[in-house]
Amino acid sequence: MGFLDFLTGNQPPLIRDSLDDIKVMMDTGRSLFAASSGRLLENEILDEDIAAHQAVISKREHSVRRAVLEHLNIDPKRELVLCMKLLTVAQEAERIGQMGRVIEWAATLANSPRIGTIVDQIRELRNQTLSQFDVARDSFLEGDANKARDVQSEHDRLDADLRKILDQLANSDLSPHQIVPCTIGASSIGRIGEHLTSIARCVIEPLHRVREHGDLS
């Protein structure tokens, strides 16, 4: 059975539960990212419980790990690579939650509202990344290779935009209290985009190549 057949066909109950957990992780990560980036880039009052969102993501990741382990205990030779990809996606989704918390923390470092051309550019980067959450989620849950490739292509474009933004920040005359949170925020948004791309690449790449996409490292 191929990966796409596995996702779109009849899965064992434990694996179906894991896919439900991953959906919750992705949707919760999206809410966390929207709230924390809104705090940083729109100077909004944080009216969401970010810690509670992260706790949900962490709990669901643990659930995926338990389900995969139980499944492999029952039949260790069945769908081993696919189970590894489920663990990979759960880990990437958990990291999205972590980066959302970093964005929230970055907002606390500023001593004045974040405004100006560079902030506008970071906000656009955030908006485009936010739009990729549902596409990345659906590409994996539906086994949709076309959506997965769309996520990959969009990441390549946004990665180029991120590099330009970071270059501008490095040469900016803004105060450190503006440059530092904006740099942390922009970099974190880029990392979230990488994690979304890794999730999508689980559909179209073998396991060992899932994270072979452009980054700043």
Side-chain angles (χ1 to χ4, degrees), residues 16-46:
R16 285 201 302 273
D17 291 344
S18 293
L19 292 171
D20 289 340
D21 286 330
I22 285 172
K23 181 182 184 302
V24 172
M25 292 178 74
M26 294 289 292
D27 291 344
T28 306
R30 187 185 192 281
S31 297
L32 193 160
F33 176 53
S36 61
S37 59
R39 174 73 181 91
L40 176 66
L41 300 172
E42 271 97 28
N43 306 288
E44 295 177 350
I45 296 175
L46 192 61

Side-chain angles (χ1 to χ4, degrees), residues 8-115:
T8 57
N10 293 321
Q11 303 98 3
L14 289 170
I15 300 303
R16 285 201 302 273
D17 291 344
S18 293
L19 292 171
D20 289 340
D21 286 330
I22 285 172
K23 181 182 184 302
V24 172
M25 292 178 74
M26 294 289 292
D27 291 344
T28 306
R30 187 185 192 281
S31 297
L32 193 160
F33 176 53
S36 61
S37 59
R39 174 73 181 91
L40 176 66
L41 300 172
E42 271 97 28
N43 306 288
E44 295 177 350
I45 296 175
L46 192 61
D47 56 2
E48 300 241 10
D49 191 336
I50 300 296
H53 284 332
Q54 189 178 27
V56 168
I57 293 171
S58 179
K59 181 178 179 180
R60 293 287 182 154
E61 184 198 17
H62 294 161
S63 178
V64 171
R65 293 183 181 280
R66 284 196 304 270
V68 168
L69 180 60
E70 290 179 30
H71 171 73
L72 293 176
N73 279 335
I74 295 171
D75 190 353
K77 295 182 179 180
R78 185 182 179 192
E79 313 298 358
L80 178 59
V81 172
L82 301 176
C83 287
M84 294 299 294
K85 286 192 173 184
L86 281 170
L87 295 177
T88 298
V89 170
Q91 183 179 43
E92 298 293 337
E94 193 275 337
R95 288 175 176 173
I96 288 172
Q98 290 183 353
M99 297 314 300
R101 293 298 301 271
V102 171
I103 293 172
E104 175 199 18
W105 168 71
T108 68
L109 302 178
N111 61 359
S112 62
R114 278 70 65 201
I115 57 176

Side-chain angles (χ1 to χ4, degrees), residues 119-138:
V119 176
D120 291 342
Q121 294 177 35
I122 301 172
R123 187 181 299 117
E124 179 61 22
L125 179 70
R126 183 279 310 273
N127 291 341
Q128 294 298 320
T129 301
L130 190 62
S131 72
Q132 293 299 292
F133 268 79
D134 290 350
V135 186
R137 178 200 64 204
D138 293 346

Side-chain angles (χ1 to χ4, degrees), residues 159-174:
D159 185 61
D161 292 343
L162 172 61
R163 292 170 186 270
K164 293 176 183 177
I165 290 170
L166 294 178
D167 183 66
Q168 291 181 52
L169 285 166
N171 295 282
S172 173
D173 57 0
L174 293 172

